[in-house]
């Protein structure tokens, strides 16, 4: 029997540090600690009805959403894992109204961690894939963070990733040198490199959108989706398939695995809030990952990563995935079709 040689997350990060020298030890530690927290979240997710984490917490978050117990528990797991390491100035999350400064009893560092602790909460109680999304920024003013410290365009991210809690638990990560996926080996507790150098095909025959909102969409999206639905007899002269998991992490992971376009457009119901997804901890980290895998990500008008954030929980329209489809639907917005 020969030794099975596997690259773990730790080995991968140390090799990145050595080869690209763009992975300071503090950032490597931060990624490892977030990955460890995702293992604990995965444990609670997989317990389901056998554990204590199903159902609602009976509280509301700043988004006006009823929090699930797992939203709150996942948030606490990430805060508890990351507050003492000495590499963060502060954290922020979908589930907290404002920033969480590192308690004064701990040393502070130069990074900011912002996350969606549990993405796809509506799927928790029905056993459909959910996830965690995180983004790492440098704190512009040393280690004294304010809420404004987080308001940086997505191009300033130094790392981003997600964990998808599905049939397998997979961590997908970028530090600016491509995208790599690691599958959790539950018996050993290690993240094993199983998806090296993930790439998104430039073309696709698959799209993801919540079609129940169609009557609310603006014309460019209506035109784009109608053309996809027209199939071979329509202007695209091809049949398209549709998927909508209602967990951004699951839909994006499918797109990273086999291509596709994911859309959560602005619609007429909330003219002041473009769509549902949040810029800082959903759109930005996912856009960084998608671009690093050869895809594209816009809000219909501009590259998501170049948007200057105005507030921590601001929403943004999202079109991301296979480059040629994202460019097409963005063109329809520009042409005002
Ligand atoms: P969260 O559970 O973190 O609030 O995010 C849910 C988001 C995203 O994961 C998903 O793509 C979208 O909501 C689904 O929205 P609809 O339920 O409107 O389809
Ligand atoms: Mn939510
Ligand atoms: Mn989310
Ligand atoms: Mn969430």
């Amino acid at each position: 029997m020969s030794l099975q040689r596997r690259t773990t997350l730790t080995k991968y990060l140390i090799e990145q540090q050595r080869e690209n020298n763009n992975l300071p030890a503090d950032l490597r530690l931060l990624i490892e600690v977030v990955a460890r927290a995702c293992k604990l979240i995965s444990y609670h997710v997989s317990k389901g009805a056998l554990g204590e984490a199903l159902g609602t917490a009976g509280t509301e978050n700043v988004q006006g959403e009823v929090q699930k117990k797992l939203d709150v528990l996942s948030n606490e797991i990430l805060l508890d894992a990351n507050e003492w390491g000495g590499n963060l100035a502060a954290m922020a999350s979908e589930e907290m109204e404002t920033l969480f400064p590192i308690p004064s009893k701990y040393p502070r560092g130069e990074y900011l961690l912002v996350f969606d602790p549990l993405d796809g909460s509506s799927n928790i109680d029905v056993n459909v894939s959910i996830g965690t999304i995180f983004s790492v920024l440098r704190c512009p003013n040393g280690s004294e963070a304010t809420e404004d410290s987080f308001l940086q365009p997505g191009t300033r991210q130094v790392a981003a990733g997600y964990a998808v809690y599905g049939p397998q638990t997979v961590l997908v990560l970028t530090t600016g040198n491509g995208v790599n996926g690691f599958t959790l080996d539950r018996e050993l507790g290690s993240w094993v490199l199983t998806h090296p150098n993930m790439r998104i095909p430039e073309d696709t025959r698959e799209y993801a959108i919540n079609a129940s909102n169609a009557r609310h969409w603006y014309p460019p999206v209506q035109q784009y989706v109608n053309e996809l639905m027209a199939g071979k007899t329509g202007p695209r002269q091809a049949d398209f398939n549709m998927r909508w998991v209602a967990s951004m992490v699951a839909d994006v992971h499918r797109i990273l695995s086999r291509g596709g376009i994911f859309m959560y457009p602005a619609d007429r119901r909330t003219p002041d809030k473009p769509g549902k997804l949040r810029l800082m901890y959903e759109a930005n980290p996912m856009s960084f990952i998608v671009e690093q895998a050869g895809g594209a990500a816009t809000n219909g008008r501009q590259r998501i990563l170049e948007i200057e954030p105005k507030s921590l929980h601001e929403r943004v329209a999202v079109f991301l995935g296979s480059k040629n489809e994202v460019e097409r639907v963005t063109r329809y917005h520009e042409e005002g079709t």
Side-chain angles (χ1 to χ4, degrees):
M1 182 191 89
S2 63
L3 174 64
Q4 193 190 12
R5 294 194 180 283
R6 313 194 301 185
T7 297
T8 61
L9 176 64
T10 303
K11 182 166 180 273
Y12 167 79
L13 291 173
I14 287 172
E15 286 170 350
Q16 279 294 309
Q17 194 175 358
R18 207 174 286 147
E19 282 156 27
N20 301 300
N21 198 21
N22 75 336
L23 201 64
D26 255 7
L27 178 55
R28 180 164 63 80
L29 171 66
L30 174 55
I31 293 168
E32 297 243 40
V33 170
V34 170
R36 199 172 309 131
C38 290
K39 274 197 279 193
L40 183 53
I41 295 171
S42 175
Y43 166 80
H44 286 288
V45 167
S46 61
K47 297 287 274 185
L50 300 175
E52 309 294 320
L54 292 189
T56 63
T59 46
E60 234 184 55
N61 63 13
V62 66
Q63 333 276 340
E65 300 167 342
V66 174
Q67 289 177 306
K68 297 291 183 74
K69 284 182 190 164
L70 206 52
D71 284 325
V72 176
L73 176 62
S74 304
N75 193 62
E76 285 167 4
I77 287 172
L78 281 156
L79 294 179
D80 178 66
N82 286 287
E83 64 177 356
W84 48 268
N87 41 17
L88 284 173
M91 292 184 258
S93 142
E94 176 197 353
E95 304 304 339
M96 300 187 296
E97 183 155 2
T98 187
L99 81 161
F100 175 93
I102 295 303
S104 51
K105 65 182 174 185
Y106 296 124
R108 292 184 174 179
E110 63 171 89
Y111 292 107
L112 298 171
L113 178 66
V114 53
F115 50 84
D116 175 356
L118 206 291
D119 174 64
S121 306
S122 65
N123 285 322
I124 292 172
D125 296 343
V126 294
N127 196 18
V128 169
S129 298
I130 49 184
T132 297
I133 309 170
F134 67 91
S135 167
V136 184
L137 296 159
R138 277 204 175 72
C139 185
N141 27 358
S143 57
E144 289 310 312
T146 63
E147 193 166 298
D148 287 354
S149 309
F150 285 86
L151 304 184
Q152 304 176 45
T155 46
R156 299 258 185 80
Q157 293 175 97
V158 293
Y162 63 81
V164 51
Y165 312 118
Q168 305 95 43
T169 286
V170 179
L171 178 79
V172 172
L173 173 72
T174 185
T175 56
N177 294 300
V179 178
N180 291 277
F182 302 82
T183 301
L184 178 61
D185 177 335
R186 291 185 190 283
E187 289 162 301
L188 297 176
S190 48
W191 294 100
V192 182
L193 179 63
T194 47
H195 301 68
N197 193 26
M198 298 180 88
R199 302 294 293 169
I200 300 176
E202 294 197 346
D203 291 300
T204 182
R205 288 286 176 268
E206 194 160 68
Y207 66 102
I209 194 164
N210 182 337
S212 70
N213 298 328
R215 64 190 180 286
H216 304 301
W217 297 334
Y218 292 109
V221 177
Q222 285 180 333
Q223 152 135 12
Y224 176 72
V225 174
N226 287 341
E227 287 179 0
L228 301 181
M229 292 168 75
K232 278 201 177 68
T233 59
R236 300 300 306 271
Q237 297 179 311
D239 288 338
F240 285 76
N241 190 25
M242 198 196 95
R243 288 282 183 277
W244 186 251
V245 183
S247 292
M248 185 185 196
V249 168
D251 282 314
V252 170
H253 190 68
R254 185 190 58 256
I255 288 169
L256 271 164
S257 306
R258 68 183 191 211
I261 178 169
F262 172 94
M263 297 172 274
Y264 210 111
D267 73 40
R268 293 188 179 87
R269 288 173 294 181
T270 52
D272 58 323
K273 279 192 279 185
K276 172 180 182 182
L277 300 179
R278 284 57 58 112
L279 176 61
M280 295 305 296
Y281 39 82
E282 289 172 318
N284 267 345
M286 290 308 204
S287 298
F288 185 19
I289 291 166
V290 162
E291 286 197 3
Q292 282 287 314
T298 75
N299 65 354
R301 306 271 174 213
Q302 71 178 108
R303 194 176 163 222
I304 284 176
L305 292 182
E306 290 176 352
I307 295 173
E308 291 287 344
K310 300 285 181 300
S311 68
L312 197 55
H313 299 288
E314 82 179 56
R315 295 168 193 258
V316 65
V318 178
F319 301 88
L320 61 76
S322 292
K323 195 178 173 62
N324 293 337
E325 289 303 319
V326 174
E327 286 176 356
R328 175 186 283 264
V329 69
T330 303
R331 199 167 53 247
Y332 286 13
H333 282 79
E334 285 156 0
E335 292 159 1
T337 45

